[in-house]
């Protein structure tokens, strides 16, 4: 038997979860299950709220456009939020959606917008960012909703990182030809420290920003190869690398 039920849709809810709870669905949720996914009465649905683990429920239609979920049993215990911080310079909306979704899929537990000198889109729809994080968690079986704190300037964001947290700085000018080796030399893969990843805007970091980042103790600068990557592509590339060497995919 597979360890995870891939056939049942998965829905994030705000309510507390326990056996016997009845969850009235709002119109958007009911429409999604009844009309988009074509689910009917008694079909299974997995629900989670980020606090009480994941629960199996079944759908009960309450009218042509309405439905409730009747919660029956817990399928997985709650897990803590992943201790991987992803710091990024905001992008324009469509690509920011992609970045947020992929960062969550790759295991980021905190997604923090950082304002730099060359940031292109300083006005960020944080509700949309958080909605993308929830959607990614729904689709990928993640139980703890990632934290999406308000945007912060680069200096305070760096100062807010705990000293023991290893900062992986994506720097196209870094003299690193073997990023895997650089990560292994920066930390013991057998006992990796808490991690943070920083990706800048497509205009790059200014010289003073780069100097400030490099001056932070417990920081490793990495080049992601000979090609200049778009910021949303760099997110997937560096998180894959970090997770494979020091993270939960090793």
């Amino acid at each position: 038997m597979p360890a995870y039920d891939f056939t049942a849709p998965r829905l994030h809810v705000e309510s507390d979860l326990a056996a016997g709870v009845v969850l009235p669905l709002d119109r958007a949720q009911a429409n999604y299950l009844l009309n988009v996914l074509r689910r009917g009465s008694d079909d299974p649905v997995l629900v989670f709220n980020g606090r009480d683990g994941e629960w199996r429920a079944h759908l009960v239609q309450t009218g042509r456009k309405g439905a409730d979920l009747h919660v029956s049993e817990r399928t997985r215990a709650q897990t803590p939020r992943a201790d991987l911080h992803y710091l990024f310079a905001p992008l324009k909306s469509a690509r920011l959606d992609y970045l947020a979704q992929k960062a969550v899929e790759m295991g980021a537990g905190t997604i923090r917008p950082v304002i730099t000198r060359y940031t292109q889109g300083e006005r960020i729809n944080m509700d949309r960012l958080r909605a993308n994080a929830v959607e990614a968690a729904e689709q990928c079986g993640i139980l703890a909703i990632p934290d999406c704190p308000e945007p912060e300037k680069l200096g305070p964001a760096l100062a807010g990182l705990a000293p023991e947290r290893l900062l992986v700085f994506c720097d196209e000018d870094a003299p690193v030809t073997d990023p895997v080796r650089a990560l292994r030399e920066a930390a013991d893969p057998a006992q990796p420290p808490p991690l943070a990843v920083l990706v800048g805007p497509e205009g790059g970091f200014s010289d003073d920003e780069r100097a400030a980042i490099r001056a932070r103790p417990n920081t490793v600068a990495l080049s992601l190869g000979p090609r200049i990557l778009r910021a949303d592509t760099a997110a997937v590339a560096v998180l894959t690398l970090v997770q494979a060497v020091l993270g939960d995919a090793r």
Side-chain angles (χ1 to χ4, degrees), residues 181-199:
R181 180 178 178 181
L183 287 173
R184 287 175 174 164
E185 290 178 348
D188 181 2
Q191 293 181 317
L195 300 167
V197 171
L198 173 62
V199 174

Side-chain angles (χ1 to χ4, degrees), residues 61 66 101 119 131 175 178 183 192 216-217 235 237 246:
Q61 285 190 246
Q101 293 163 7
T119 294
D178 187 346
L183 287 173
R216 178 192 179 271
L246 297 176

Side-chain angles (χ1 to χ4, degrees), residues 87 167-177 179 182 197-201 203-215 219-229 234 238 241:
L87 283 64
L167 175 63
V168 180
F169 166 38
C170 294
D171 182 6
E172 64 272 15
D173 292 332
V176 175
T177 58
V197 171
L198 173 62
V199 174
F205 291 99
S206 66
D207 290 341
D208 57 333
E209 287 173 335
R210 185 176 282 106
I213 297 166
R214 287 177 172 272
T219 296
V220 56
L222 296 182
S223 168
L224 296 178
R227 289 163 295 279
I228 301 299
L229 302 180
V238 69
L241 179 66

